[in-house]
Structures are given as C-alpha cells and as structure tokens.
C-alpha cells in the first residue's frame, strides 16, 4: 500500500475515535464516567424542548403602552402647570400614541403655554403645531427617545427575566433577544403558570429608604446560626456633610434562597415590622476585565416599605464625570418627582437610599445632601476606572428603563409535557432504523463490496454528525431527528452517483483502477453541486426558523458537510484498498 | 488494461436503455401545465367553493394564530363531551379531533387535540361585560379598562386608591380569572396591571368540571398570537424567496444561460406541486411543512443537476448529433442514477411517514411528494425546456448569420448544434 494511504488511515481512525469520545457524554450519564474524562469531554447533545418537555415563550416589548402611559402622565403634568398659571379651561387629550393636543377654551390662553413652561418638558416633548387663532397646540413625544427606550427596555427585560427565572431553579434556562422579541425557554417540569405570571410582570423601579442602625436588625442578627450559609457583617459610613457616623449590620450569603428562607422564618418578636421589608442586593465586584467576578454574594437591607418616589418620576439618567474624572451617575427628576425627592431626601440625609428594580436592589448610595431636581450617585470605592464605568453604565440603564416601564406582551407560547416527546422520539428512531436497514440491504445487494463501503461511510457519516452536534451542544429537536433520518437517505446518494459512473467506465473497458479514478473525478462536481443547493436551503432555514425548525436546519447543514467528507474522501480511501497496486492485476471490481 | 469480460453488475436497469422521453415532450409539458392549473383550481375551490374548507390552504396555528391543546384523559372520553365542556366555558367554536393511538378494543380514545382561535381567556364580549361590571370597586370608579386582543394582561385605572386584592376579587366576580394584580406606574396614578390566567388552565378546569375529578392532563399547549402568526407568514415567504434567489445565483454561476432557466422552472414546479398536494388533501400547513418545502427546493436540484451535467458532457462529445437526441441519450444514461437516488431517499422518508407521528409524519409526507415530483420534473420538465431554449438560441443564431454580409456567412447546417461546436468550428 502506498504511504499516503496509511497516513489517511491514521487520520480517519483518529477522527473516528475522537468522535466516539465526543459522543460518550451524550450517551453515558455523568456519574458513570471517570473524572479525568469529564475534564475534556463534557459537552453533550441537548434535548430540545419538544423532546424533554418545557416551556417556550416569546415576548414582545409593548412599547406602545409604555409611551402612551408616559404621554398621559406628561399631559397631566402640563395641565397642572397651566392650572398654576391660572388657565382653568383647557382640554388636554392624548391623540394616538405620541401626541398631546391642548385645546384652550379661550384662545388667548394658548400664549400661556409658552417657552418657559415648555422648557421644563424640553427633553421629552416637541411642539409640532400651534394654531393661535383656534387656541390649539399639539405636542409630540420625542421619537428618538422612543427608540432608545425600546432598546433599553429589551435589555433590561432580559436581565429582569433572568433574575426572576433564577428564583425558580430552572435548570439551563435560555433567555435571548430575537429582533425586538425576547425568547424564553425553560426545560423540565415546573409550575409554569406561576413562572409565566412572574416573568410577564412589568418591572417597577422604586426608591426606598434603608432603615439602618435599627435595634430590630441587631436583634435579628444575633439569632443567625453560626455555621450556616449566612454570615453577618457590620457596615458603617459617615455622612459627608454632617460628619455624623452611621452604623448598620446586615446578613450576607452566597445563596439568595438561604437569606429568603431565613427571613421568612422570622416570627414572634423577631417578625418583620409591618412597615418594613427586606431587600436583597447582589454584590458582584467586577474584576479587571469588566466581567462579573465569581466571588459574588447577596446581602440584605432593611427597607421602609413605602416607596414615595418611583421610576416614573425620573426624567432622565446619564453618565457623568466628577472633578477628578471619576465616573458617576447623574439623574433628573421631573417637576412632581423633584418635590417628592426633595422631601424624601431632606428628611433622610445621611441614610442610604436603595434603588430597587423588580424587588432587587441595584445600588444603595448614601444620601449626602438634599436632592431636588438633579441628583448624583457616586460609585463608592476607588477601583479600576473601567470597572467603575461598567457599574455606572449598568445603573444608568436600570434607571432609564425604570423611568419608562415597557410591559411585555406574550406572543407565542409552547408548553410541552414530557411524555409526548418520548413517544415521538421512540417512533422516529424506529423509522430511522427501518429506513437505514432497508438502504443498507439494498446497497449490499446492488453494489456488493462497494455497497459495503457505502454503508460504512454512511455509518461514519452519522457518527461524525452526532459528534459535531455534541461539540456544539446543539439542541436535538423532533424535526432535527427528521433531519438526521433524511441525511441517512441522502448519504448514499453521493455514493450511487459515483458508483454508476464507475460502472460506466468499466463497461467502456477501463481497468478497475482507472475506472475508479475516472468515476470519482467525473462525478465529484455533480456531487458537489447537489450538496451546495441543499446547503443553501439549510442556511435559509436556519436564519428563518427558531426552535424546532432551527434544530432541523442545523442537522441538515452538519449532515451535508459530513456527507461530503465521508462519501467522497473516506469512500475513496476505502476504494484505494480495493484497487491498490498489489491488486492491480485484478480484472473485476466488486461493484 | 482492458476490463475483463467477467465484470458483472447487479442491475435493475440494464444499460443501453433507449426509452424515448423526448419524443413526447410536448405532451409532458402540457401535462405539467394542466397539473399546475389544476393546483390553482384546487386552491380556488378550497377558498371559495368548498364550504368546510374555506381557505386555500389549511394553515396551522403557526401561521393563523390560535391555540392548540393536546389533552389526555385517564378514562375513555367522547369528542362530544369535550365540545360540551368547551362550550360551557365560552369556547363553542373549538375544534376537537382525536389524537394519537386509539387504546383498547372498544375503540375508546383518550387523547384529543383541541384547537381554537382564541389565545387569551378573555374575549371581546367578555371584556366589554367586565368593563361595565367593574364600573365601581368599593369607592373607586373605573376610569379606564384596557385590554388588547389576544393579550395576556388587562390594565385598569381608577380615580382613587384601591387595594390590589380588591381589584382581583372584582375581576374574578366579573368572570376574569387572574394570576396576579399589581400596581403599575406611579402609586398615585391608581393604575393596575392584571395578568390573566392561561387558556390551558381554564380549559383544564372546564374539562375537569365536566368530566369529573382530575381526569384531564395537558400534554401540550401551543399558542400563537395573531400578530406573530402573520409575521411568521411574511418571514416564510421571504425565506422561500431568498432561497430561490440564492439558488438562481448559484445556478447562473455554474451553468450557462441555457441550462439555468429550466432548472429554476423545475424547482418552482416542484414547490408548487407540493403545495398542491397539501391543497388537495387539505393537510395542515405548518412551519414544519414550510421547512420541508425549503428542503425540497434544495433537493429537487439534485437529479436535475445529474441529468444536466451529463447532457453538457454529451453535447460536447457528440457534436454531430441533434441536440434533442443528445438529451434523450443523456437521460437514458443517467436513468438508473436518477431513479436510485430518489428511491433511497423516498424509502427513508416513507418509513418516517409510516412509523412516525405528528411533526415527523407531516414532514415525511411533504418530502415524499417532493421527491416524486422532483424526479418527474428533471426528466419531463427541465429537459424539454432545455431543448426548447436551445432551439430558440440556435434559431436566433441563424437569423443573426442570415443578416451578416455574404463573405462572412457560414453555411447553414442541416442539423442543429450547440454554440460550443460552432465556436470550435470557427477557430
């Protein structure tokens, strides 16, 4: 045998063994595998939702409602402002989603809606038209703001959903953005009604005062078991202006559930007072590269329940830099919000104010001084400026999307119980075996030894395909199994094309060796062309489909590639064995 | 070295077949045109004439929007009972069909598929009724009641403060079951967001109420909002169009302008015929069907390419022969290849059709049709079109020559030949 044949043998052998190893995790459960093996080969083929059961949801961000609600509020504010200027009779209505139309009973009053008044709303409202004679003014919500909010709302919604799903302990949830929709996939069996209710809820942004230094907290902290998952830490800070020290103590744990459980168990004279509640913050100090570091933990804050100021009073939030070029968050309240915030902060200088989004505390900065319309949040600590900037960006995103909560609207739901999937898989596998058996028998009868070669390459094809799918940790869905079966059928097509060509060459009187060469050479482009067109269809399917259809597209695409590899190159290598120099004297070919 | 005379093959189709495919090509083209018109006719009939069909294709909920619920009972149940239960719950238009295998001798059936157009537990009239029923909750008057068709939420606005649980209770009394009611927006806005209970929960409750105990088990729920369905339809059309365009580009690149168009026509023909099969049988046309259609478009090219490659090769080899004879010969030569490749894929998909269930079976049916039509089209649609195009091309060449000055004029051949040959002639 030629040297090159042996090299190829080594290559193909190695690839085959590697594929088998790659497939082991998918077939043998984790416990039965030796530990060192798991270090290298742990990826497995996932079962799609339609096979293992679970919930698949697609949400749209209801930007219409969010903007409409905001515009409503703005019109209320304007009406109030006009009232202060003495304008009593004016009709204020929302037209469409974005427009406010003010109709003044006395056209002269329209002048009162002047530059000065509108200046307060400059960031959000533009004057579109003014009909001084009829006393009608039309204002519109700024369209750039709408687009910006939509984008933010999507991102924030994904984070929020993730947090909510985590609470339920769903294994391997998928939450991704698809265009302007959010796709949520939750495998397994859970109380899906509850989960749906929770994740569909619109997130609320609230500002709550932290009740620090209270006697109650000290009592609670004393009862924390010493060796449990919960530890207690003291927290102290000094108010910048007054110089007065503040002290607090909090509970800390790696596991939020442990904290929640502990709090839920507080009763009797340790019970949480009716006007207080516990809030949780995930402290995730980011490392040098800006990613969330692994040593994150949860801590508690004792909060005053009533949120006087909520996200809708916020007008805007931006990144700012202080005198020392350190990043911080700047925010602006609207008219009403400003007075509420002023009242709140003046009464609580020196205390911490928790910024709570969706019942999760994002940050709890100290109230350094009374905040009116404009406020500033400095990120505590002298850390890596890049890291600080990430934190600032995060908080700005939270504040902005909290300022205009966009509800999620469910557009597609698929809930699959596990038994249906199992049944379908069994039947699909059976049909694949029957089909494959038929093809194998046919190839053996029709093409004899060459048929055997084709069968071997078909088996290798399936093996490689599955190994690649495992490598991608691809989801195998029911249509995906259909794709697998289809590839089995198409796998022999390439071989048939080549073999018929070889037969023709043999009929013309060529020797086996020449015939094989000619057959593979001539037929290659035909085989290639047919694979390309199928590949194109697969790519289009992949980009169009989602979920099960995408699973099909993936198996199709992978199958096409492995098919080309096994039908052309591996088959050729096996043929070389049949027509090697040693056997060059053989006059016939088993084909 | 010459091949030994001992070289034998196991063959079903002996070489040297010379079936005349081309002679009758006008008939075949006519048959294809008639078939296409028939498909259009069936689509028309489905949409306007056949009362129990109503639409050109039986769109699944993926495209139409709606909800499909697969329920399994722990005892035998009749479809009629299910319909009664659904009507009592306010869904009288629900379709109920048997699903899965029939168990036992008496033909008792336990698994059913319930299909309805609704996606939300609240319908238009229910919303109106609830709005008036909720006009006053405690001291507070209802200012606004917002509900969107197919939505899973209801928004309420009152003129003064009211407790969330009171709102939930009032909604329940008005016939709307919610899973939660929470404050939405500013506290002083008195806005509430109420999340509605799922349709499947309501259906299960209705079935349990009617058939006793906890007899109903929901196996699967699929719910697609009308807007999402329309989007999928649009995207589907775009995908089909995109795939065809990409393949056209590839074909134009690999084949010359005479071989290209017939391939495309054959492709479109195959897709159209498959759609026709679905129109005729009125099988559900779902996302899986669309996936099969896209696969067929890619696959149909396979045998057409096999035949055309051979035609090109032979046309270059046998310059003296008439083009249509060359085509016929090529088809005969590749016959076993064409038939065998189609047969193997067909067998495999046939197994899926026979032994598979649900989505796999629908897909397999589409593939079966597509493979048969695809093989037919490479021989009886693509090749005749190729000959026709070639004739037109040669004729236009002749006309161009006839207009050329006397000296440069080539003698007009008696037989028809390819452009390649004439080029070879001139050099």
């Amino acid at each position: 045998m030629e040297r090159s044949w042996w090299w190829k043998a080594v290559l193909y052998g190695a690839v085959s063994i590697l594929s088998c190893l790659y497939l082991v995790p998918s077939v043998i459960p984790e416990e039965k595998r030796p530990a060192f093996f798991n270090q290298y080969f742990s990826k497995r083929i996932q079962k799609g939702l339609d096979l293992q059961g679970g919930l698949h949801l697609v949400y749209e961000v209801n930007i219409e409602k969010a903007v409409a609600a905001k515009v409503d509020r703005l019109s209320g504010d304007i009406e109030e402002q006009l009232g202060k200027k003495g304008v009593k009779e004016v009709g204020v209505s929302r037209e469409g989603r974005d427009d406010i139309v003010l109709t003044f009973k006395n056209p002269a009053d329209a002048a009162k809606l002047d530059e000065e008044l509108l200046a307060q709303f400059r960031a959000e409202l533009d004057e579109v038209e003014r009909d001084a004679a009829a006393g009608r003014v039309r204002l519109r919500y700024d369209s750039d703001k709408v687009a910006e909010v939509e984008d933010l709302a999507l991102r924030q919604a994904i984070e929020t959903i993730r947090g909510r799903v985590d609470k339920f302990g769903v294994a391997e949830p998928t939450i991704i953005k698809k265009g302007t929709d959010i796709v949520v996939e939750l495998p397994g069996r859970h109380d899906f009604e509850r989960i749906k209710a929770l994740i569909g809820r619109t997130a609320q942004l609230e500002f709550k005062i932290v009740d620090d230094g209270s006697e109650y907290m000290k009592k609670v902290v004393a009862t924390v078991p010493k060796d449990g998952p919960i530890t207690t830490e003291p927290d102290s800070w000094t108010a910048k202006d007054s110089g007065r020290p503040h002290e607090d103590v909090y509970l800390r744990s790696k596991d939020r559930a442990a904290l929640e459980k502990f709090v839920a168990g507080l009763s009797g004279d340790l019970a949480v007072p009716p006007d207080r509640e516990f809030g949780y913050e995930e402290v995730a100090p980011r490392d040098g590269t800006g990613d969330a570091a692994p040593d994150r933990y949860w801590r508690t804050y004792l909060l005053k329940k009533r949120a006087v100021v909520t996200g809708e009073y916020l007008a805007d939030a931006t990144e700012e830099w202080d005198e020392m070029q350190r990043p911080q968050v700047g925010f602006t309240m609207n008219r009403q919000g400003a007075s509420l915030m002023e009242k709140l902060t003046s009464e609580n200088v020196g205390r911490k104010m928790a910024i709570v989004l969706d019942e999760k505390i994002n940050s709890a900065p100290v109230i350094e001084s009374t905040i009116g319309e404009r406020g500033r949040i400095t990120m505590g600590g002298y850390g890596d400026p890049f890291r600080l900037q990430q934190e600032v960006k995060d908080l700005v995103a939270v504040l902005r999307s909290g300022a205009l909560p966009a509800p999620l609207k469910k557009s597609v739901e698929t809930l699959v119980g596990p038994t249906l999937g199992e049944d379908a898989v069994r039947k699909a596998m059976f049909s694949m075996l029957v089909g494959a058996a038929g093809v194998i028998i046919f190839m053996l009868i029709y093409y004899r030894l060459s048929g055997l070669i084709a069968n071997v390459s078909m088996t290798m094809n399936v093996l490689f395909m599955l190994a690649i799918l495992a490598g991608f940790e691809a989801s195998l869905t029911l249509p995906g199994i259909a794709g697998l079966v289809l590839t089995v059928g198409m796998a022999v097509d390439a071989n048939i094309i080549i073999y018929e060509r070889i037969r023709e060459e043999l009929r013309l009187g060529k020797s086996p060796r020449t015939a094989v060469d000619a057959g593979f050479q001539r037929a290659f482009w035909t085989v290639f062309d047919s694979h390309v067109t199928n590949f194109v269809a697969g790519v289009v399917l992949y980009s169009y489909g989602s979920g099960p259809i995408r699973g099909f597209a993936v198996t199709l695409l992978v199958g096409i590639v492995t098919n080309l590899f096994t039908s052309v190159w591996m088959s050729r290598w096996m043929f070389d064995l049949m027509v090697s120099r040693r056997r060059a004297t053989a006059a016939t070919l088993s084909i | 070295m010459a091949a030994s005379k001992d070289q034998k093959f196991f063959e079903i189709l002996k070489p040297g077949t010379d079936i005349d495919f081309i002679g009758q090509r006008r008939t075949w083209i006519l048959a294809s045109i008639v078939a296409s018109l028939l498909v259009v006719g069936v689509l028309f009939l489905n949409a306007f004439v056949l009362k129990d069909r109503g639409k050109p294709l039986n769109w699944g909920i993926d495209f139409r929007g709606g909800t499909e619920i697969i329920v399994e009972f722990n005892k035998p149940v009749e479809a009629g009972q299910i319909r009664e239960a659904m009507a009592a719950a306010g869904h009288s238009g629900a379709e109920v069909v048997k699903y899965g295998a029939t168990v036992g001798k008496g033909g008792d059936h336990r698994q059913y598929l319930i299909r309805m157009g609704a996606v939300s537990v609240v319908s238009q009239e229910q919303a109106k009724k609830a709005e008036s029923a909720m006009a006053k909750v405690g001291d507070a008057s209802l200012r606004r009641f917002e509900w969107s068709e197919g939505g899973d939420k209801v928004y309420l606005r009152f003129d003064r403060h009211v407790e969330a649980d009171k709102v939930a209770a009032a909604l329940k009394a008005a016939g709307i079951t919610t899973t939660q009611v929470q404050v939405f927006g500013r506290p002083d806005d008195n806005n509430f967001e109420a999340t509605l209970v799922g349709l499947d929960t309501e259906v299960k409750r209705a079935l349990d109420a009617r058939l006793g105990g906890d007899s109903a088990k929901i196996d699967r729920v699929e719910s697609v909002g009308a807007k999402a369905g329309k989007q999928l339809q649009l995207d589907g059309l775009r995908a089909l169009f995109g795939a065809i365009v990409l393949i056209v580009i590839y074909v134009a690149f690999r084949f010359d302008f005479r071989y290209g168009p017939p391939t495309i026509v054959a492709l479109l023909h195959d897709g159209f015929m498959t759609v026709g099969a679905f129109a005729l049988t009125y099988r559900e046309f779902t996302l899986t069907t669309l996936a099969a259609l896209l696969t067929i478009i890619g696959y149909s090219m396979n045998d057409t390419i096999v035949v055309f490659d051979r035609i090109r090769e032979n046309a270059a080899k046998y310059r003296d022969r008439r083009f249509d004879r060359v085509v016929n010969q090529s088809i005969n030569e590749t016959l076993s290849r064409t038939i065998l490749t189609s047969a193997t894929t067909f067998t495999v998909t046939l197994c899926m059709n026979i032994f598979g269930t649900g989505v796999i079976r629908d897909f397999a049916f589409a593939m079966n049709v597509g493979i048969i039509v695809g093989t037919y089209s490479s021989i009886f649609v693509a090749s005749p079109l190729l000959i026709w195009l070639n004739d037109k091309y040669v004729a236009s060449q002749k006309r161009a020559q006839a207009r050329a000055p006397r000296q440069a004029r080539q003698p007009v051949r008696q037989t028809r030949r390819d452009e390649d040959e004439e080029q070879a002639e001139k050099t």
Side-chain angles (χ1 to χ4, degrees):
Chain A
M1 286 305 304
E2 297 156 6
R3 206 81 89 74
S4 62
W5 190 89
W6 286 108
W7 280 119
K8 286 188 202 160
V10 166
L11 176 67
Y12 294 141
V15 171
S16 307
I17 293 175
L18 204 66
S19 304
C20 290
L21 287 175
Y22 250 97
L23 280 175
V24 165
S26 305
V27 176
I28 302 178
E30 194 153 351
E31 313 83 61
K32 300 209 183 107
R33 290 180 249 145
F36 67 84
F37 186 85
N38 285 335
Q39 264 194 320
Y40 298 107
F41 299 105
S42 58
K43 297 198 182 160
R44 52 198 309 257
I45 298 180
Q46 311 291 332
K47 270 196 187 169
L49 265 191
D50 54 349
L51 293 183
Q52 64 168 311
L55 180 65
H56 167 96
L57 291 162
V58 178
Y59 284 103
E60 279 169 49
V61 174
N62 193 353
I63 201 73
E64 305 293 314
K65 175 114 192 87
V67 173
K70 179 73 169 186
V71 171
D72 273 341
R73 224 169 285 127
L74 287 169
S75 45
D77 288 348
I78 292 183
E79 197 171 353
E80 196 191 316
Q81 288 302 308
L82 285 171
K84 285 197 186 142
K85 282 199 169 190
V87 177
K88 292 284 183 268
E89 302 192 41
V90 56
V92 181
S93 65
R94 169 163 65 91
E95 223 170 87
R97 182 191 75 180
D98 298 353
D99 293 0
I100 302 176
V101 175
L102 298 119
T103 323
F104 295 88
K105 198 133 190 261
N106 178 359
D109 281 339
K112 295 239 172 88
L113 186 67
D114 56 4
E115 279 301 307
E116 189 200 325
L117 207 156
L118 286 174
Q120 296 166 31
F121 302 95
R122 174 138 302 139
E124 300 168 299
L125 290 173
D126 305 318
E127 185 176 313
V128 173
E129 69 175 294
R130 182 182 282 261
D131 188 348
R136 204 180 14 233
V137 183
R138 180 184 286 266
L139 304 167
R140 186 166 292 164
Y141 194 71
D142 190 53
S143 56
D144 288 335
K145 271 215 170 279
V146 174
E148 187 188 295
V149 163
E150 189 168 31
D151 182 54
L152 265 170
L154 256 173
R155 273 192 285 141
Q156 196 58 45
I158 292 177
E159 282 309 310
T160 314
I161 294 178
R162 197 165 287 146
R164 289 169 178 172
V165 165
D166 279 344
K167 271 175 140 176
F168 282 95
V170 177
E172 298 171 5
T174 312
I175 304 160
I176 50 167
K177 184 167 92 124
K178 187 171 190 246
T180 52
D181 293 338
I182 298 176
V183 179
V184 179
E185 283 196 0
L186 308 169
R189 304 191 75 135
H190 301 273
D191 182 358
F192 284 128
E193 193 73 59
R194 255 185 77 216
I195 296 183
K196 267 192 286 172
L198 190 63
I199 63 181
R201 214 169 67 180
T202 307
Q204 297 276 79
L205 180 72
E206 297 166 307
F207 296 96
K208 295 186 175 172
I209 299 294
V210 175
D211 186 13
D212 55 71
S214 64
E215 289 302 316
Y216 170 74
M217 248 343 255
K218 295 202 180 97
K219 269 199 291 177
V220 167
V221 153
T223 67
V224 171
K226 290 288 178 260
D227 307 321
I230 305 176
T231 54
T232 60
E233 308 282 328
D235 195 10
S236 57
W237 67 93
T238 341
K240 209 158 65 164
D241 289 349
S242 62
R244 206 155 26 109
H246 286 254
E247 248 181 48
D248 192 10
V249 62
Y250 63 89
L251 305 170
R252 172 182 160 147
S253 173
K254 269 220 180 277
D255 179 16
R256 177 173 168 158
L259 289 170
E260 285 176 325
K261 205 165 129 206
F262 179 79
V263 166
L266 292 169
S267 59
D269 56 336
L270 280 181
V272 183
D275 61 341
R276 297 283 189 272
E277 64 182 9
F278 273 93
Y280 305 94
E281 180 188 6
E282 188 181 17
V283 182
R286 288 171 184 268
D287 62 18
T289 61
D291 297 323
D295 60 336
R296 37 173 62 187
Y297 60 89
W298 289 88
R299 63 158 287 175
T300 59
Y301 285 96
L302 186 66
L303 304 168
K304 289 194 183 163
K305 224 182 208 180
R306 187 153 175 268
V308 174
V309 184
T310 55
E312 294 78 23
Y313 290 111
L314 255 177
D316 199 9
T318 50
E319 274 178 73
E320 284 179 4
W321 282 267
D322 66 4
E323 324 81 56
M324 294 194 274
Q325 293 305 310
R326 271 198 312 233
Q328 57 186 21
V329 176
F331 62 89
T332 335
M333 311 298 293
N334 61 27
R335 244 317 113 143
Q336 245 185 315
S339 53
L340 283 169
M341 184 62 101
E342 198 170 2
K343 185 155 177 286
L344 184 72
T345 48
S346 59
E347 289 171 358
N348 292 289
V349 175
R351 297 190 122 124
K352 284 187 177 173
M353 181 170 76
I355 300 173
V356 189
L357 180 68
D358 198 42
E359 293 173 3
K360 189 169 124 177
I361 297 178
N362 239 276
S363 166
V366 176
I367 302 174
E368 304 279 355
S369 57
T370 308
I371 297 170
E373 200 183 330
R374 306 195 70 101
R376 212 163 288 116
I377 303 175
T378 47
M379 317 296 345
Y382 300 84
D384 167 31
F386 181 72
R387 191 201 80 196
L388 282 175
Q389 195 170 20
Q390 287 301 112
E391 285 182 24
V392 165
K393 276 188 160 57
D394 285 350
L395 190 54
V396 166
V398 165
L399 289 172
R400 272 183 171 166
S401 64
L404 191 61
L408 293 172
K409 184 162 172 218
K410 185 182 73 168
S411 81
V412 176
E413 174 188 342
T414 307
L415 179 76
V416 182
T419 50
L420 212 63
E422 285 164 18
D423 185 50
V425 173
R426 259 186 299 121
K427 297 217 171 90
M429 286 304 188
F430 182 70
S431 71
M432 175 155 107
L433 287 170
V434 172
V439 165
I440 288 176
I441 293 172
F442 168 76
M443 289 302 275
L444 281 173
I445 296 177
Y446 204 78
Y447 291 112
R448 296 177 295 169
L449 195 59
S450 307
L452 183 65
I453 292 179
N455 289 335
V456 170
S457 75
M458 177 183 87
T459 321
M460 287 287 116
N461 188 7
V462 174
L463 180 72
F464 293 154
M465 219 167 98
L466 290 173
I468 293 179
L469 287 176
F472 284 142
E473 291 189 298
S475 254
L476 190 64
T477 60
L478 212 52
I481 295 183
L484 221 92
V485 183
L486 197 66
T487 311
V488 164
M490 297 213 242
V492 284
D493 283 4
N495 287 107
I496 291 175
I497 293 176
I498 297 171
Y499 291 1
E500 286 298 315
R501 193 67 205 229
I502 295 177
R503 280 190 177 184
E504 269 180 72
E505 300 291 328
L506 285 169
R507 282 190 208 110
L508 286 174
K510 303 225 175 101
S511 72
R513 175 109 204 172
T514 330
V516 166
D517 281 342
F520 270 92
Q521 196 177 15
R522 298 258 169 84
F524 176 75
W525 282 108
T526 315
V527 168
F528 188 77
D529 279 336
S530 56
H531 279 81
V532 166
T533 50
N534 281 335
F535 197 80
V536 164
V539 165
V540 170
L541 258 176
Y542 183 83
S543 61
Y544 162 71
S546 71
I549 300 294
R550 194 164 259 198
F552 170 73
V554 169
T555 43
L556 197 69
L557 290 171
V558 172
I560 289 170
V561 171
T562 54
N563 197 13
L564 206 56
F565 177 70
T566 54
S567 307
V568 178
W569 282 285
M570 270 191 92
S571 293
R572 184 65 210 266
W573 169 74
M574 285 187 260
F575 260 98
D576 283 345
L577 190 60
M578 269 219 287
V579 295
S580 63
R581 291 230 188 280
R582 253 195 293 136
R583 316 220 186 140
T585 50
T588 62
L589 196 58
S590 177
I591 193 172
Chain B
M1 231 159 74
S4 155
K5 288 175 202 55
D6 301 318
Q7 178 75 58
K8 285 197 186 46
F9 306 121
F10 181 92
E11 293 165 323
I12 294 174
L13 277 151
K14 295 272 174 266
T17 57
D18 193 14
I19 307 172
D20 184 16
F21 294 105
I22 294 309
Q24 301 290 341
R25 66 179 182 276
R26 293 235 162 74
T27 323
W28 303 124
I29 293 280
L30 206 64
S32 292
I33 296 178
V34 167
S36 306
L37 288 171
L38 271 172
V39 168
V40 174
V42 171
L43 286 170
F44 181 81
L45 278 175
N46 279 346
F48 300 110
V49 176
L50 292 169
K51 280 293 174 280
D52 58 338
R53 287 192 172 180
K55 288 184 299 290
L57 283 170
N58 185 9
W59 302 107
I61 57 161
D62 296 326
F63 297 118
R64 212 182 354 138
T67 310
E68 266 183 16
I69 303 178
I70 298 180
V71 197
E72 190 165 355
F73 298 94
N74 55 11
K75 57 184 182 195
V77 167
E78 292 292 319
Q81 292 174 282
I82 301 180
R83 278 192 206 104
E84 280 169 20
M86 298 300 294
H91 298 284
S92 41
E95 274 175 62
V96 179
V97 286
K98 291 212 181 96
Y99 191 83
T102 308
V103 180
K105 298 180 274 311
D108 70 342
H109 213 92
R110 300 190 182 200
Q111 214 179 26
Y112 286 90
L113 176 84
I114 303 174
R115 198 178 292 144
M116 49 188 129
V119 171
S120 158
V121 289
V122 173
S123 64
Q124 186 86 312
E125 324 105 62
Q126 260 184 303
K128 281 209 179 70
K129 270 199 293 183
E131 190 170 352
S132 39
M134 302 268 306
K136 226 161 153 65
V137 176
D139 296 327
S141 322
L142 184 69
R143 275 275 182 83
R144 198 187 300 180
F145 184 96
E146 250 176 78
W147 166 84
S148 51
E149 182 88 46
D152 58 334
K153 297 207 180 93
V154 171
Y155 293 93
L156 305 122
R157 190 174 174 172
F158 294 92
D159 66 340
R160 67 191 69 189
H161 178 75
V162 99
E163 289 297 322
D165 10 351
K166 287 222 177 57
V167 176
L171 278 168
K172 185 135 193 215
I176 297 180
T177 330
T178 57
T179 47
Q180 64 176 23
V181 176
Q182 70 161 21
V183 174
F184 178 75
R186 286 190 226 172
D188 50 339
D189 275 351
N190 303 313
N191 249 336
F192 289 95
E193 179 184 76
T195 313
L196 301 170
V197 83
L199 197 55
D200 54 322
T201 319
E202 191 178 80
V203 167
K204 176 165 158 53
R205 238 175 258 164
L207 289 170
D208 282 342
R210 189 73 187 204
L211 299 159
D214 193 22
S215 47
K217 179 168 77 116
I218 306 275
D219 271 345
R220 191 187 167 114
V221 177
E222 250 189 88
S223 156
V224 178
K227 188 165 152 202
K230 283 210 180 59
Q231 191 61 39
L232 279 165
Q233 263 183 337
L234 260 159
D235 287 346
L237 277 164
R238 234 179 266 149
L240 272 171
F241 187 69
I244 293 175
V245 164
L246 282 171
I247 291 181
V248 166
I249 293 174
Y250 181 74
V251 164
F253 176 65
R254 283 279 293 139
F255 296 90
D256 78 35
F257 64 95
R258 273 172 302 163
Y259 291 86
T263 345
I264 309 300
V265 173
L267 205 161
L268 292 169
H269 166 269
D270 295 341
F272 196 63
M273 286 296 144
T274 313
V275 169
F278 274 84
L280 196 66
T281 57
Y282 214 58
R283 273 177 102 111
E284 230 191 343
F285 194 96
T286 61
L287 274 176
T288 321
T289 318
L290 194 68
L293 208 63
L294 278 165
T295 315
I296 287 169
I297 283 178
Y299 188 78
S300 128
M301 295 286 295
N302 284 12
D303 357 275
T304 321
I305 286 175
V306 166
V307 177
F308 276 21
D309 264 359
R310 180 50 67 94
I311 294 176
R312 256 199 311 198
E313 207 187 305
N314 283 349
K317 234 195 316 183
Y318 302 108
R319 295 181 187 192
D320 281 341
R321 297 219 197 127
R322 275 171 46 169
F323 190 65
D324 54 349
R325 289 271 173 269
V326 169
V327 168
N328 201 50
Q329 180 188 348
S330 311
I331 295 178
N332 276 293
E333 281 173 10
T334 56
L335 201 58
S336 46
R337 231 187 285 186
T338 318
I339 295 197
L340 285 172
T341 52
S342 301
T344 45
T345 320
F346 185 81
T347 315
V348 161
T349 45
L350 192 67
C351 288
M352 275 206 280
N353 197 356
I354 297 175
F355 300 113
T357 53
V359 128
I360 294 228
R361 183 172 244 179
D362 294 335
F363 177 80
F365 173 78
M367 286 305 292
N368 280 346
V369 172
I371 292 170
I372 294 175
V373 177
T375 320
Y376 168 88
S377 72
S378 355
I379 300 175
F380 297 107
V381 173
S383 309
L385 274 174
L386 177 64
I387 296 175
W388 181 71
L389 264 181
N390 187 62
D391 286 352
K392 287 196 97 70
Y393 176 73
V394 168
S396 76
Q397 283 288 77
K398 282 212 196 115
R399 277 202 299 276
Q401 279 178 13
R403 280 182 242 119
R406 259 187 172 268
Q407 304 96 301
R409 209 194 293 183
Q410 301 277 348
V412 175
R413 311 263 173 216
Q414 293 289 359
T415 54
R416 286 170 269 176
R417 292 199 210 175
D418 287 357
E419 170 198 34
D420 313 22
E421 302 164 341
E422 287 179 339
Q423 287 289 56
E425 225 70 53
K426 283 176 197 148
T427 50

